[in-house]
Amino acid sequence: VAFVLFLSMTVFVYRSTTGFMQTASHVAQSHEIRLTFEHIRTLIDDIETGHHGYVISGERILLEPYHGAVILIRDKLKQARELTGDTPRHQEHLNRLEKLITSRLEVAKQSINVARTQGIATARMRLQTDRSSREIEEIHQLLKESIDDEVGEISEHSKRSTALAESTIMFVGGGSLLI
């Protein structure tokens, strides 16, 4: 009887340990996904701030964050797509985000080109009539929802881990008393 109980405890502890390892892996992936979406949000802000700052002031140095963000944004979107390949909701968000971001990149590029070719005053007037703030709001909303989804996933994984730990302690503790 003691041997069967000991064997049962060993199997249970093994399964608990593999469960902990899976949960830890899911938590790490959720953190990586969340950070990727947060980085995309930062890059979008750099694109908007850089091109608006340049068009308003004419100072070329303000385009540095814009240029850096333009280079990185496609890679971050690709990374997000790869990390969330098994999550249809994120894939839908990314489909919409890619369209909106492409549009915003085009608007920014046009604003900068107008500033360079037709002058800052003309670019400022175009910027004032730009009605694309709705696009920026939608981008931020999609990113917020994606980030919130991952925060929820992390919370769920933590609850599972806690429940697994409690059941392991109870089983091993109770089994030890019987042996």
Side-chain angles (χ1 to χ4, degrees), residues 14-107:
Y14 173 78
R15 294 178 101 195
S16 295
T17 302
T18 57
F20 283 128
M21 291 168 58
Q22 287 175 338
T23 300
S25 175
H26 289 167
V27 167
Q29 182 173 3
S30 289
H31 277 297
E32 187 175 1
I33 292 167
R34 180 185 57 82
L35 290 172
T36 300
F37 281 121
E38 287 177 356
H39 195 188
I40 291 169
R41 183 177 52 197
T42 300
L43 294 170
I44 290 297
D45 292 344
D46 287 348
I47 289 167
E48 291 299 313
T49 303
H51 104 267
H52 282 161
Y54 172 69
V55 168
I56 291 168
S57 71
E59 295 291 325
R60 287 187 183 272
I61 195 161
L62 296 175
L63 286 176
E64 287 179 16
Y66 164 83
H67 289 300
V70 167
I71 291 168
L72 294 174
I73 192 90
R74 299 273 183 227
D75 288 339
K76 281 297 165 185
L77 287 167
K78 181 181 176 189
Q79 180 183 10
R81 189 164 294 285
E82 290 169 358
L83 287 170
T84 63
D86 60 345
T87 311
R89 179 174 159 88
H90 283 319
Q91 293 297 306
E92 291 170 16
H93 282 180
L94 285 166
N95 290 339
R96 184 69 184 134
L97 277 170
E98 285 175 345
K99 289 177 186 170
L100 291 166
I101 290 170
T102 298
S103 174
R104 293 309 305 156
L105 289 171
E106 188 57 35
V107 167

